[in-house]
Amino acid sequence: MTKTKRIFVSNRLPFNISTKTGDLQRGSGGLVSALMGVHLDQPFYWLGFETDPGVAAELKQKAQQVDKQLRLQPVVINKKLYDSYYDKFSNDVLWPLFHYESQHVLFRREDWNSYVEANRLMADEILKVAIETDTVWIHDFHFFLLPAMLKERMPKLQVGFFLHIPFPSSEIFRQLPVRQEILAGLIKADLIGFHEHSYLRHFTVSLTAQMGIDSSFLRAQIGDHTLNLGVYPISIDNEGLKEKSESAAVTARTHDYENEIKSNFLVLGVDRLDYSKGLELKLRGFRRMLKKYPDVRGEINLLQVAVPTRTKVPAYMRLKKEVDQLVGTINGEFGQPGYVPVQYIFNSVVENDLLALYRRADSILITSKRDGMNLVAVEYAVSQNLENPGVVILSEFAGAASLLGDSLFINPWDEDSIADALYSAYKMPKEERTSRMQSLQEILSRYSATEWAK
């Protein structure tokens, strides 16, 4: 008898081939940690797109070096089709719309057709390896059509879908020209998971408004098909991250930063340079704090790491320009000899350096306009040393807000809200910092990425 197996599906595979060594390299990101952390005792397949047939063959061949149960299944896709499905439809339509940035949406029917074709290609490849007793777990907005495509041809296959970004309010979702097609693709899943209750609520309201389907909060009956719904906020590999953050290498790097970064109170920002992250709002709030509380000038610094993303897209180029200008304005207005209020890094940071910055910083400031979760906040909390912990200042519009209840919450559009939270963090007694961080770490220690994936 053939053993049943788990099949994971994501846009890209969790590994790539290193251009320097030619070895298999594990990708970064919470999803890889979460799924690789589930010690499966049966074979598990992972399918994702690859545009280079040579790389695809190599990935497939080297997968079992990582885990004897792992089967990587690269799905070779034509580069032009991939760019249209991924860059044009997924990133220029779904991403902005689901993050409430509809002014950035650029819908073209040919890109939608590519999205349908890419989903169909993935369905064909899954059905080559799947049997009816298998479980397929589909990840994210790149594959909204996949549940229906799989169920049409293999009705008994167990299909789960997890959305890693927010699901928008039904009024925003209505603006999508292909809204019904997307819902029709999704509702054939056996289970759909979201990070947060509000995302699930938005989804059920859209189901009723667009499809006339009523549901209880956790279930919808569609003919003889039961669609289960649930809220499962993703986490990280807590133990692994805690261990790394306390390692000798990170400790040494933290000491370096303590000597190099002269600041009585260092506020850290770590974000992709994406319009959903609210970097311009963060800088305006920081500027407001310097105006409103003159006693912090010379005391509080912001170190903002902005990781480049989609640098050739006009919306992102405009955002970079605005951020550059704001950094210059703040430093020009409030800088003094020996005091530069904002240090700005437009680059990515290697893991050990990032963990050392987390431990060096007195606070993390997250001003997302919308965020599926925001794992930076979680990583910062897990890596804190309880002998002298920092403070999490978190946008109420990030999914992590529902998990990290002892943060200081802000409305990122309210400059005073950011200014006041920064000042509160600066003035917060050590006892309060410790009790808040202890409580955050306790919650997170009980809820790792592996627990989420299970």
Side-chain angles (χ1 to χ4, degrees), residues 278-433:
L279 264 79
E280 75 285 15
L281 303 182
K282 181 184 300 193
L283 289 162
R284 289 195 191 111
F286 187 77
R287 183 184 180 194
R288 177 73 186 132
M289 178 210 58
L290 292 170
K291 276 188 170 169
K292 190 171 179 177
Y293 301 105
D295 56 316
V296 303
R297 295 173 197 170
E299 295 287 312
I300 299 187
N301 298 72
L302 171 63
L303 171 58
Q304 177 63 51
V305 177
V307 179
T309 183
R310 307 193 72 209
T311 48
K312 292 183 172 66
V313 175
Y316 290 77
M317 288 159 78
R318 285 194 297 274
L319 174 63
K320 182 179 185 301
K321 193 175 173 188
E322 186 180 0
V323 167
D324 289 349
Q325 285 172 343
L326 277 164
V327 171
T329 301
I330 295 166
N331 287 339
E333 195 174 346
F334 297 102
Q336 300 158 9
Y339 174 62
V340 180
V342 182
Q343 190 180 346
Y344 174 58
I345 298 168
F346 180 58
N347 211 333
S348 51
V349 176
V350 297
E351 188 181 41
N352 279 0
D353 286 0
L354 182 60
L355 292 174
L357 283 173
Y358 285 157
R359 284 173 80 85
R360 164 67 185 89
D362 301 288
S363 177
I364 191 103
L365 176 58
I366 288 152
T367 52
S368 311
K369 296 172 182 175
R370 299 279 163 184
D371 224 335
M373 193 64 188
N374 194 296
L375 292 177
V376 167
V378 177
E379 288 171 359
Y380 179 81
V382 167
S383 62
Q384 288 306 289
N385 176 358
L386 283 178
E387 285 175 21
N388 187 23
V391 181
V392 177
I393 303 175
L394 181 58
S395 164
E396 63 191 68
F397 297 97
S402 59
L403 195 62
L404 304 179
D406 276 277
S407 308
L408 295 181
F409 292 110
I410 52 165
N411 173 354
W413 282 274
D414 179 356
E415 291 177 13
D416 283 291
S417 165
I418 298 172
D420 297 346
L422 284 166
Y423 195 67
S424 296
Y426 172 61
K427 289 288 190 186
M428 192 180 289
K430 189 181 171 189
E431 300 72 48
E432 187 184 343
R433 279 189 282 124

Side-chain angles (χ1 to χ4, degrees), residues 83-97 101-108 111 141 176 275 310 313-316:
D83 290 345
S84 177
Y85 130 85
Y86 177 72
D87 280 327
K88 300 286 190 336
F89 190 78
S90 299
N91 284 337
D92 285 344
V93 178
L94 296 175
W95 177 269
L97 191 81
E101 299 278 344
S102 46
Q103 74 278 16
H104 294 304
V105 170
L106 186 63
F107 179 85
R108 299 186 318 168
D111 299 324
F141 60 102
L176 187 61
Y275 44 69
R310 307 193 72 209
V313 175
Y316 290 77

Side-chain angles (χ1 to χ4, degrees), residues 108-215:
R108 299 186 318 168
R109 187 63 57 175
E110 58 265 39
D111 299 324
W112 163 248
N113 294 339
S114 299
Y115 184 84
V116 176
E117 198 182 329
N119 274 247
R120 178 78 59 202
L121 172 63
M122 185 56 79
D124 292 344
E125 292 299 316
I126 293 166
L127 291 167
K128 284 179 189 172
V129 298
I131 57 171
E132 286 214 315
T133 51
D134 288 345
T135 301
V136 178
W137 189 5
I138 302 162
H139 289 275
D140 227 0
F141 60 102
H142 313 94
F143 296 116
F144 281 141
L145 306 180
L146 210 41
M149 289 176 172
L150 294 173
K151 288 285 198 172
E152 273 160 22
R153 289 154 66 188
M154 206 177 269
K156 289 187 180 158
L157 194 64
Q158 292 265 342
V159 177
F161 183 98
F162 189 83
L163 184 63
H164 290 266
I165 63 172
F167 195 92
S169 79
S170 60
E171 283 303 296
I172 295 281
F173 185 71
R174 273 176 71 187
Q175 296 174 21
L176 187 61
V178 289
R179 60 205 183 184
Q180 291 203 317
E181 292 91 326
I182 278 179
L183 289 174
L186 270 176
I187 59 175
K188 294 291 196 234
D190 296 291
L191 172 65
I192 302 176
F194 302 87
H195 283 308
E196 229 238 3
H197 286 93
S198 65
Y199 307 160
L200 169 52
R201 190 175 66 249
H202 295 326
F203 176 75
T204 58
V205 172
S206 287
L207 265 192
T208 308
Q210 298 302 323
M211 310 284 282
I213 295 168
D214 287 323
S215 60

Side-chain angles (χ1 to χ4, degrees), residues 233-239 242 378 382 403 405-406 438-454:
I234 197 170
S235 189
I236 59 169
D237 173 15
N238 301 322
E239 272 181 40
K242 193 147 190 62
V378 177
V382 167
L403 195 62
D406 276 277
Q438 211 158 12
S439 146
L440 291 179
Q441 288 192 353
E442 269 168 32
I443 289 163
L444 293 169
S445 70
R446 293 196 300 270
Y447 190 63
S448 69
T450 307
E451 292 305 313
W452 168 80
K454 279 177 187 168

